[in-house]
Amino acid sequence: MNNLSKILVNITQEQDQYLLPEKAIRLAQAESAKIEFFKCGYQPHYSSMNLLGNDILEKLQHNRLRDLEATLNELLATLKKDYANLSVDVAWGRGIAEGLLTKIERSNPDLVLHEVAEHPHLLHRLLVPHDWQILRECMAPLMLCKSKPWPERIRIVAAVDPFHAHDHAALMDQKILNEASLLARALGAELHIFHSYVVFPQSAIFDDSLMSNFKTLQYQVTSEHQAGVERLVNSFDPSIDASCIHVVEGEVHDVLPEFIKKQQVNILVMGSLARGMLDRLLLGSSAERLLDAVACDVLVLKA
């Protein structure tokens, strides 16, 4: 998103009804953005309902959507005291994910806010609950929000990887920095840049001539990563202070959650690149693996 003019907020039954709207309003105020609250009406026992006949089914769906719209309008009446550019929409779908994804495709928002539950177990990924489906299939910038309010002073971290082997890495890094900068401007937040790298272990070197220079090789790898991140940041915005650029040794799934906790980060901005089916089921994408490991909200971007 080059600007923030349209925010879509997915309202579900599980969440605090004011938490996401408050975050959306805070984002929208600086940009005078439009906020649309969306709620999907669905029936988990859809196949059983089909036995009722079309007339009865349509009537039940209509009544359900009417009730949902009334609930959203009550919420709007309260929120319009703080922000006026608000609207609501409801639609029927076979599930929360299907309804939201169809709505996103139809309305093309600049940002989607969706509250997530924790999914710490592999079994949940294999079952693909609606949170995972939304994360994998949503092509719009998607902010996965935890049930935790933002403080007055917000800290954002953009996780980049200029050394990623994927062909789209360079474009993704630019997109991450653009989106993170836009959020920081809208929220008056402090922006940090993060990159982690892994130095190969000494046990992985089988050449005796290289073994004697192991420390030099380690230093060379570290220097190249630091220089690569500095080039990326300088090409994006040379005014970013060096104290806000963090190049950390270690696996990203270990060091990034630790960094977020220590620095009290409120929003993580990261990219999600496509993976094979087996990797996705057993390991998940970086976004999926980090989602439950961090306590902050996560803005996920697609290439």
Side-chain angles (χ1 to χ4, degrees):
M1 53 183 172
N2 295 322
N3 55 38
L4 192 58
S5 61
K6 187 191 301 183
I7 300 173
L8 179 65
V9 182
N10 188 40
I11 302 293
T12 66
Q13 296 287 351
E14 296 82 12
Q15 66 199 22
D16 176 350
Q17 65 173 342
Y18 291 106
L19 184 59
L20 281 191
E22 287 172 355
K23 290 181 177 181
I25 289 173
R26 192 163 172 185
L27 278 164
Q29 284 175 329
E31 304 288 320
S32 299
K34 174 186 176 182
I35 302 174
E36 185 173 28
F37 297 106
F38 174 75
K39 199 169 184 67
C40 176
Y42 71 99
Q43 172 54 253
H45 309 294
Y46 196 87
S47 58
S48 298
M49 288 189 69
N50 284 339
L51 300 176
L52 298 176
N54 290 337
D55 291 343
I56 297 176
L57 183 58
E58 288 179 7
K59 184 176 181 180
L60 289 174
Q61 292 177 0
H62 175 76
N63 291 339
R64 175 61 175 158
L65 292 179
R66 184 184 60 189
D67 291 342
L68 293 179
E69 188 171 18
T71 300
L72 287 183
N73 281 324
E74 289 178 8
L75 176 63
L76 244 65
T78 302
L79 296 172
K80 280 195 171 182
K81 300 172 185 176
D82 300 318
Y83 195 73
N85 197 2
L86 308 173
S87 63
V88 303
D89 186 31
V90 296
W92 190 264
R94 291 178 181 265
I96 292 175
E98 179 188 278
L100 177 60
L101 292 168
T102 300
K103 171 63 180 177
I104 291 170
E105 185 177 357
R106 191 171 70 242
S107 61
N108 193 28
D110 298 311
L111 177 65
V112 179
L113 269 62
H114 171 71
E115 187 179 60
V116 292
E118 294 185 0
H119 304 96
H121 303 300
L122 174 63
L123 179 60
H124 290 159
R125 292 186 181 134
L126 293 174
L127 293 176
V128 192
H130 64 260
D131 288 345
W132 295 131
Q133 185 181 354
I134 292 168
L135 171 57
R136 290 168 181 167
E137 298 183 25
C138 176
M139 297 309 296
L142 175 67
M143 185 175 291
L144 300 162
C145 297
K146 306 294 182 72
S147 55
K148 189 175 183 180
W150 289 336
E152 182 176 349
R153 181 65 175 171
I154 292 176
R155 183 168 290 177
I156 297 172
V157 61
V160 298
D161 186 5
F163 295 90
H164 200 291
H166 201 286
D167 291 340
H168 297 298
L171 292 176
M172 178 63 79
D173 282 337
Q174 287 296 326
K175 187 171 186 177
I176 289 169
L177 292 174
N178 282 328
E179 305 290 335
S181 179
L182 178 58
L183 283 184
R185 184 185 70 206
L187 295 170
E190 183 179 304
L191 176 60
H192 290 253
I193 315 297
F194 178 92
H195 169 66
S196 68
Y197 67 98
V198 179
V199 176
F200 42 81
Q202 190 168 0
S203 59
I205 300 177
F206 302 101
D207 189 311
D208 291 338
S209 63
L210 294 177
M211 184 72 75
S212 60
N213 295 319
F214 179 66
K215 288 187 177 180
T216 301
L217 290 173
Q218 283 187 310
Y219 176 78
Q220 181 180 349
V221 170
T222 300
S223 299
E224 288 179 356
H225 278 269
Q226 290 175 335
V229 174
E230 288 174 5
R231 285 194 300 270
L232 173 66
V233 175
N234 286 333
S235 67
F236 172 73
D237 184 357
S239 68
I240 293 178
D241 194 275
S243 64
C244 294
I245 303 173
H246 310 270
V247 181
V248 181
E249 181 183 350
E251 293 284 355
V252 64
H253 307 105
D254 297 324
V255 296
L256 183 52
E258 182 180 344
F259 174 84
I260 286 172
K261 182 178 180 180
K262 183 177 180 180
Q263 296 292 330
Q264 298 181 322
V265 172
N266 307 107
I267 302 173
L268 165 65
V269 182
M270 64 178 300
S272 179
L273 296 171
R275 299 175 66 94
M277 179 61 74
L278 183 60
D279 283 347
R280 193 177 71 182
L281 288 175
L282 297 180
L283 299 174
S285 69
S286 294
E288 290 171 345
R289 296 176 69 186
L290 284 167
L291 185 57
D292 286 312
V294 299
C296 66
D297 296 346
V298 181
L299 175 60
V300 180
L301 307 171
K302 301 290 177 63

